[in-house]
Amino acid sequence: MTGLFIGAAPYNDFISLMEPSDPTWRDNSIPELDLSAVPSGGLEKDMYLPFCDAVNGSGVCPGLQLVCVADTRDKEGCRLRPDLAVVPENAVDVNDFGLMELFAECKTRRDGDAFHESYNNKDIDLDSVEKIEGKSADSRGQLISYAAATMSRQHRIFMFSISICGEFVRFLRWDRAGCIVSELINYLENPELVAEFFWRYSHMNATERGFDITVRRATKRQANLLTDAMNTFIEQSEPRNMEFLRGNTDPTFGTYKVCMDDEERRHRYFIIRQPFWDADSACGRATRRYAAYDMKQKKLVFLKDSWRTEDEDIMSEADIYKHLLNSNVPFLPEVILTGDVMVDGHAQQTFSDQWSKPDSFLEWRLPCDQLRTHIHCRIVQELAYPVASAQSSREAVQVFRDVIESTQVAYQSAEMLHRDISTGNVMINKNGRGVLNDWDHGVRLVLDRVPHSFRTGTWQFISVGLLQEPSKPHDVHDDLESCFWVLLYVSLHYFKNNGREVDFKLDFFNEMVERKIGGDQYRAFGGTMKVGLLVVEQLEPVRWECRPLDDLIHALSDTWRSVYIVPRGEREEMFRGAQDNISLILKMFDTALASEEWPEKDAVPNQYPRKRQRSIDQGVARAKAEHIATTVRKSQALATRTGILAAGAAAAHSVCPTSAPRPSSGLRSGIPSLHALGMHPKAVASNNVPRFGRPQNLLSAGSKKRTVDHAQAEEPNVSISSSKRMKTGDPPLAFGPRPTYTPTALARSPTLSANPDRLPIPAGPSSPLARAHLPPARPLPTDRLPTLPDVRHRYLTRSKTRPNKTHHDENAPKEAPREDVEIQEVKHRYPTRSKSNEKHPRPAPPPKPTKAQAQIHQSGKKNNKSTGGGGHKGAPQQDDEMKQVEHRYPTRSKSKSNEKHPRPQRPPKPLNTQAQVQQNHKSTPSDSKRTQARSKNRRQRR
């Protein structure tokens, strides 16, 4: 949103945009608001409750309440958390972005302000109101994120928000064109201005607050109609991947009723829920796609809600479809209803662009871009499938071939460019053919048309030329290159390849680098990694199991490599003869489609899922797999137990026909007795025992993650999140759990020496062909179940657990005695360091010396050089016998063993008389200090 902020508007000019239509709001005086208790300069969380209590307690916002939502999460999974929010007074779920009237973001200091101050002499040289120093850019990013989240979850024309920075506050007004920012206001000095803002807002109706009145909350009966239609459509569309619709079957999300006018100005109503595609942006077109229930036709349709730009050179989407149909352009969507959203005879449009005109508010407005007027429009079409739901690679290639043909005819006959080919615009109709949807970015080629200075399209699929030069005019070759990037994206995600094994990254789709183009203006660039992918042939190691698809992708890669391998200034020569280039690409597709080596239904789950979605799918898959495995294990064990009891009953009846089999207690409770079957519970749970009759060769070494329905082992490898749903009539597990698809190394086959670049389809156990020839599952043989042997640890003294013991039946034959292996006792080298155990107990430490012994030992260390180290100075030498000192830790001694040269014990200095003792203890103050210092030094040296 760089350049889309207008300000800083004086308070009187900004508050003029909040004029309630109800004149009674002036009858009562505005209550006083005291914000002196709100702290500043400390922690943000210390500001929340005082600010809320001051607003709610003063009564300046009747019917609404200001609450703290910083410690909550949005129930729809959004991780954004604004600090404060204004919600209805009776609201229960305050953490719902769909209920927030407006939000407020708090910063403890003024340097967290996202914008410059009011227009004055020191700010006269600023390029825009947006501040980029310090933490301002991060604060502005937070405001944009919260506005985008709120407007994407609500049906809004515009909305308000508050930014609090220390003891200052700003007010903001957002719409799809830009944002108007007020000046900085000191709420401690002028609390009446904040009170007036809340007072005016609480007295405005829904239209004046920015809500779209053509959208209302649906009733429970209408929500049930949408849910039933969704479930019916998903069941009829199987086995396609209909994940984009599964979120709409959840009735906990908000359900709305949309009103549109047909050509005769009659109302038609459509029921919508959560969009399956959302731009999630505060400004711009903000396109949202819904699967809607048509109340008139009683069926599911496609509804798109967007904001088109008002420009003389740009046609509306309704007019574009009429022009394309008149020009006989094929593979277009079937339009049911289209037009602008009208309220009281006027189309809903933005307002911020009026304040961005060059001659408006020159006395205070800082420089900004000329904003474009956006008009609210909707279109209803027949519901089609996204290209990601293709069942086979051939169907996907056929869809892209149709899209390229539609682009060619539109360029030749209608003189139109699409300019936004992406995964959301390439669709599949009910007949399996392609549909090029969303022509709202389309533009007609005229001689006097001046190209815009900004690019158009979905960033991941924009051509390299437009990414490197944003001012480059859009050409038909840019649309053709976008088709290649969309085909590459779909092929990498939904068809088997070795991309993950060769560590192929998809970063080139999202590469974006911001560069400064002048002043404080920045612009995004990209395309460098895409050029490297083509020129350096980084795509060469990636191979697809489908041979025609692999040949087509690498042939298209070579075609675009020949374009970008030349210098940038010489590429225009390569683009001459557009008709010949389109025909060449169509011929490549026709050659690939003519091949007879296309597999059937080779689509796989997403090979590059998002981290969050992957973790969710794996958690759901693990829980579901454990539940299914437990159910199957119990049922099979119960069936086996029933068979054994039936066999025993038949034998008993043959011996004594009058006797009846006694029912087992385990059978009555539904829990089979594993001991009666000769199995130990731990033995059944061991990996050494094949569970459920599962062939061991079907499990690879790294197949621990299971993301498929175990009850559908005979189906193709589909994830839990795919359209394959569990049915009650599914057969029990036949081949065991199948792992998530892990592409093997696709080495070139030596048998294809004529064309080594082509790869055969490996018929491994994971392919449906190989699974079709596998023998059916057999019942678990109970007479050949192995039992776990007794485990004898090699190091008994180091074992932390007891030896394993298995259950033995009393009537079972006993095993032959094993040889008694003598376990030698290990003598530790350092017994004092050995851990305590039964055979080698830790030796008790020697007794601690008494206080007298310690004093004798310390006095013996005081040597006198004149006496040869025999005692104190002047003490007579004594011929005492040397005593050997036993070390407490002999193995830790740094010196050699003391057996030959023991250290003598030094006796203390003898005292003769009492007078001599008193004389020795007498010392001057200076001598005492000197002695203490010497003793301290000795201790430090030790």
Side-chain angles (χ1 to χ4, degrees):
M1 287 189 58
T2 302
L4 302 183
F5 291 92
I6 305 173
Y11 176 79
N12 293 332
D13 293 341
F14 185 91
I15 206 66
S16 63
L17 302 175
M18 304 177 62
E19 188 71 22
S21 58
D22 185 7
T24 58
W25 74 275
R26 297 180 180 272
D27 296 343
N28 299 325
S29 59
I30 302 176
E32 295 184 0
L33 178 63
D34 184 12
L35 298 174
S36 59
V38 179
S40 60
L43 299 177
E44 286 188 16
K45 62 181 181 180
D46 297 337
M47 303 174 61
Y48 302 156
L49 294 181
F51 203 99
C52 294
D53 295 341
V55 173
N56 297 330
S58 61
V60 297
C61 197
L64 302 172
Q65 59 175 336
L66 182 65
V67 295
C68 173
V69 294
D71 298 332
T72 60
R73 295 288 188 187
D74 182 59
K75 69 177 183 180
E76 297 184 12
C78 181
R79 297 187 176 185
L80 299 176
R81 297 185 301 175
D83 296 333
L84 309 177
V86 173
V87 298
E89 193 173 14
N90 56 353
V92 179
D93 295 332
V94 297
N95 59 338
D96 187 2
F97 270 104
L99 298 177
M100 293 183 185
E101 296 271 348
L102 58 86
F103 67 89
E105 178 63 19
C106 298
K107 299 297 177 184
T108 57
R109 300 180 60 181
R110 188 175 179 179
D111 57 0
D113 189 11
F115 307 97
H116 288 293
E117 297 180 3
S118 303
Y119 188 81
N120 50 41
N121 293 332
K122 70 176 183 178
D123 298 328
I124 198 171
D125 295 331
L126 295 176
D127 296 330
S128 65
V129 71
E130 304 166 36
K131 188 177 179 181
I132 60 175
E133 295 84 3
K135 304 178 181 178
S136 300
D138 296 337
S139 301
R140 188 166 56 256
Q142 284 184 288
L143 295 173
I144 296 173
S145 300
Y146 300 149
T150 305
M151 299 184 74
S152 65
R153 288 162 176 78
Q154 299 181 13
H155 296 272
R156 287 272 197 163
I157 311 301
F158 60 89
M159 67 170 298
F160 294 92
S161 67
I162 304 173
S163 176
I164 304 172
C165 302
E167 55 187 16
F168 295 89
V169 65
R170 286 185 189 269
F171 305 113
L172 299 90
R173 183 189 184 276
W174 307 79
D175 61 20
R176 298 302 183 180
C179 178
I180 301 177
V181 183
S182 73
E183 63 181 348
L184 205 62
I185 302 172
N186 191 322
Y187 62 80
L188 296 180
E189 298 178 358
N190 303 288
E192 67 279 359
L193 302 182
V194 181
E196 183 182 4
F197 173 85
F198 284 105
W199 183 259
R200 285 174 176 257
Y201 187 86
S202 60
H203 285 80
M204 293 191 298
N205 55 33
T207 303
E208 295 164 347
R209 294 179 185 178
F211 290 94
D212 184 5
I213 60 174
T214 63
V215 181
R216 303 288 186 182
R217 283 278 183 177
T219 62
K220 186 176 181 180
R221 185 186 67 85
Q222 295 170 346
N224 294 334
L225 291 175
L226 176 61
T227 303
D228 296 340
M230 290 281 185
N231 294 329
T232 303
F233 185 83
I234 292 175
E235 292 177 359
Q236 295 176 354
S237 302
E238 289 185 355
R240 290 189 183 273
N241 184 3
M242 305 300 294
E243 278 305 306
F244 72 102
L245 288 182
R246 291 193 181 277
N248 290 271
T249 60
D250 188 358
T252 59
F253 290 98
T255 308
Y256 301 90
K257 182 176 68 173
V258 181
C259 178
M260 293 184 62
D261 295 336
D262 56 11
E263 296 179 354
E264 299 178 359
R265 298 296 179 184
R266 292 179 301 182
H267 296 321
R268 292 188 61 174
Y269 297 97
F270 303 89
I271 310 302
I272 62 175
R273 193 170 282 152
Q274 183 185 15
F276 61 82
W277 196 91
D278 191 357
D280 198 14
S281 60
C283 300
R285 294 179 178 268
T287 303
R288 289 185 283 189
R289 299 181 175 92
Y290 299 90
Y293 180 76
D294 189 353
M295 298 287 291
K296 180 179 180 181
Q297 298 184 2
K298 308 297 182 181
K299 67 176 184 178
L300 213 61
V301 296
F302 169 78
L303 188 147
K304 185 180 73 172
D305 184 281
S306 63
W307 291 76
R308 66 178 181 89
T309 56
E310 186 183 32
D311 199 324
E312 297 179 357
D313 298 335
I314 300 179
M315 304 169 58
S316 64
E317 191 171 8
D319 296 336
I320 289 176
Y321 281 121
K322 292 180 182 178
H323 176 65
L324 293 174
L325 290 175
N326 295 333
S327 302
N328 297 323
V329 177
F331 306 111
L332 297 176
E334 300 179 18
V335 180
I336 299 175
L337 185 63
T338 183
D340 297 336
V341 181
M342 308 295 293
V343 177
D344 297 334
H346 301 281
Q348 293 179 350
Q349 62 181 15
T350 56
F351 177 80
S352 300
D353 53 278
Q354 300 181 15
W355 282 28
S356 66
K357 296 179 179 180
D359 56 348
S360 61
F361 303 106
L362 298 179
E363 64 276 7
W364 55 262
R365 180 174 57 84
L366 292 174
C368 66
D369 294 345
Q370 175 64 42
L371 305 184
R372 307 172 67 184
T373 304
H374 288 68
I375 299 178
H376 196 192
C377 61
R378 295 192 182 105
I379 183 170
V380 180
Q381 304 170 353
E382 291 291 339
L383 186 61
Y385 307 104
V387 67
S389 65
Q391 302 181 64
S392 63
S393 53
R394 192 187 190 283
E395 184 182 37
V397 171
Q398 180 66 55
V399 167
F400 280 98
R401 196 267 178 208
D402 297 339
V403 168
I404 294 176
E405 182 180 353
S406 178
T407 305
Q408 179 189 27
V409 178
Y411 175 73
Q412 295 174 356
S413 302
E415 297 181 348
M416 292 287 299
L417 295 177
H418 188 277
R419 301 199 307 166
D420 188 20
I421 296 180
S422 64
T423 54
N425 301 334
V426 178
M427 311 293 290
I428 307 174
N429 61 15
K430 58 184 178 181
N431 299 323
R433 301 301 296 268
V435 174
L436 185 55
N437 199 8
D438 290 347
W439 284 81
D440 52 349
H441 286 278
V443 64
R444 190 170 184 179
L445 300 175
V446 293
L447 296 177
D448 56 347
R449 174 181 174 271
V450 178
H452 293 284
S453 59
F454 52 88
R455 64 175 73 90
T456 303
T458 303
W459 183 266
Q460 288 81 1
F461 312 110
I462 297 178
S463 65
V464 174
L466 291 175
L467 291 176
Q468 293 180 343
E469 299 180 11
S471 59
K472 172 186 173 298
H474 199 104
D475 193 71
V476 65
H477 296 91
D478 298 316
D479 286 345
L480 294 178
E481 186 179 345
S482 297
C483 289
F484 167 72
W485 295 119
V486 177
L487 174 61
L488 179 62
Y489 181 90
V490 173
S491 302
L492 287 170
H493 279 264
Y494 300 104
F495 299 105
K496 294 182 181 180
N497 60 82
N498 65 340
R500 298 185 72 90
E501 281 203 354
V502 299
D503 198 20
F504 185 75
K505 305 296 184 182
L506 306 185
D507 300 337
F508 59 91
F509 284 116
N510 300 315
E511 178 199 8
M512 180 183 295
V513 179
E514 289 191 353
R515 299 174 186 171
K516 195 171 186 179
I517 60 176
D520 293 340
Q521 299 296 323
Y522 289 81
R523 182 163 291 181
F525 293 84
T528 304
M529 298 179 68
K530 287 185 177 180
V531 172
L533 180 73
L534 298 174
V535 176
V536 190
E537 300 183 359
Q538 298 177 359
L539 190 61
E540 184 64 24
V542 183
R543 294 291 173 175
W544 282 261
E545 286 191 0
C546 177
R547 188 166 110 184
L549 177 63
D550 182 81
D551 294 341
L552 176 62
I553 292 178
H554 286 283
L556 293 173
S557 177
D558 294 338
T559 301
W560 291 108
R561 182 187 300 112
S562 63
V563 173
Y564 291 107
I565 202 172
V566 300
R568 186 178 302 180
E570 303 177 6
R571 294 175 185 171
E572 296 298 331
E573 298 292 335
M574 305 292 297
F575 290 143
R576 292 183 180 180
Q579 177 59 33
D580 297 336
N581 296 334
I582 299 176
S583 301
L584 176 62
I585 294 177
L586 286 176
K587 187 177 181 180
M588 292 181 182
F589 277 86
D590 293 337
T591 304
L593 291 172
S595 175
E596 298 179 356
E597 301 181 11
W598 290 97
E600 296 182 0
K601 297 183 179 181
D602 57 335
V604 297
N606 193 350
Q607 304 295 284
Y608 291 86
R610 295 182 179 180
K611 294 182 178 179
R612 175 175 172 80
Q613 186 63 33
R614 183 165 63 248
S615 62
I616 293 175
D617 292 343
Q618 290 176 357
V620 173
R622 283 193 297 268
K624 197 170 185 179
E626 292 176 0
H627 173 71
I628 296 175
T630 304
T631 304
V632 173
R633 183 166 59 250
K634 289 182 178 180
S635 61
Q636 290 189 349
L638 182 60
T640 306
R641 172 63 177 168
T642 305
I644 294 176
L645 293 178
H653 185 73
S654 61
V655 177
C656 183
T658 59
S659 63
R662 181 180 180 182
S664 172
S665 60
L667 184 61
R668 289 196 305 269
S669 61
I671 304 175
S673 176
L674 297 178
H675 295 280
L677 301 178
M679 296 181 294
H680 192 271
K682 294 184 179 179
V684 176
S686 174
N687 291 331
N688 298 329
V689 182
R691 288 184 242 179
F692 322 131
R694 175 182 59 192
Q696 296 295 330
N697 57 353
L698 285 184
L699 293 180
S700 59
S703 60
K704 293 182 180 180
K705 298 181 180 179
R706 294 174 286 180
T707 59
V708 297
D709 290 341
H710 296 298
Q712 299 189 15
E714 297 180 355
E715 297 292 335
N717 188 8
V718 294
S719 65
I720 289 296
S721 60
S722 66
S723 61
K724 294 291 184 182
R725 299 186 304 136
M726 289 192 59
K727 301 178 181 179
T728 56
D730 288 336
L733 186 63
F735 300 114
R738 291 177 291 114
T740 304
Y741 167 70
T742 304
T744 56
L746 303 181
R748 290 186 175 90
S749 176
T751 60
L752 300 177
S753 57
N755 189 359
D757 292 333
R758 293 193 173 186
L759 300 176
I761 301 175
S766 60
S767 62
L769 181 62
R771 290 198 301 270
H773 295 285
L774 289 176
R778 297 180 179 179
L780 186 64
T782 58
D783 56 341
R784 289 183 289 177
L785 281 177
T787 57
L788 294 178
D790 291 339
V791 179
R792 294 196 176 187
H793 296 278
R794 185 177 181 181
Y795 304 104
L796 294 179
T797 57
R798 296 186 181 182
S799 175
K800 296 183 179 180
T801 59
R802 297 181 179 179
N804 296 338
K805 296 182 180 179
T806 56
H807 177 77
H808 297 281
D809 194 356
E810 297 179 357
N811 300 326
K814 298 183 179 180
E815 298 181 1
R818 295 188 178 92
E819 297 181 0
D820 294 334
V821 181
E822 182 179 358
I823 301 178
Q824 297 180 357
E825 182 179 356
V826 181
K827 293 185 178 181
H828 295 277
R829 185 176 182 182
Y830 306 105
T832 57
R833 296 186 182 181
S834 173
K835 296 183 178 179
S836 178
N837 51 61
E838 297 178 359
K839 293 189 176 182
H840 301 281
R842 178 178 297 179
K848 187 176 180 181
T850 61
K851 187 174 181 181
Q853 294 176 351
Q855 292 178 357
I856 295 174
H857 182 68
Q858 292 294 336
S859 61
K861 290 184 179 181
K862 298 180 180 180
N863 299 336
N864 189 356
K865 295 182 180 180
S866 60
T867 60
H872 295 283
K873 183 177 179 180
Q877 299 295 327
Q878 297 182 1
D879 296 332
D880 293 339
E881 181 182 358
M882 296 292 186
K883 294 183 180 180
Q884 183 178 357
V885 179
E886 294 183 0
H887 294 278
R888 186 175 184 182
Y889 304 105
T891 57
R892 297 186 182 181
S893 175
K894 297 181 180 180
S895 62
K896 296 182 179 180
S897 178
N898 298 330
E899 296 178 359
K900 294 184 178 181
H901 304 282
R903 180 178 295 177
Q905 181 179 3
R906 301 187 182 111
K909 179 181 177 181
L911 299 178
N912 296 331
T913 60
Q914 185 70 20
Q916 187 177 355
V917 174
Q918 296 178 359
Q919 184 178 0
N920 291 338
H921 283 279
K922 290 182 179 181
S923 60
T924 59
S926 60
D927 294 340
S928 177
K929 293 182 180 179
R930 190 180 300 110
T931 304
Q932 294 176 2
R934 291 175 180 175
S935 301
K936 183 178 181 180
N937 295 337
R938 293 192 192 99
R939 288 195 298 270
Q940 293 178 354
R941 285 196 298 270
R942 296 194 191 103

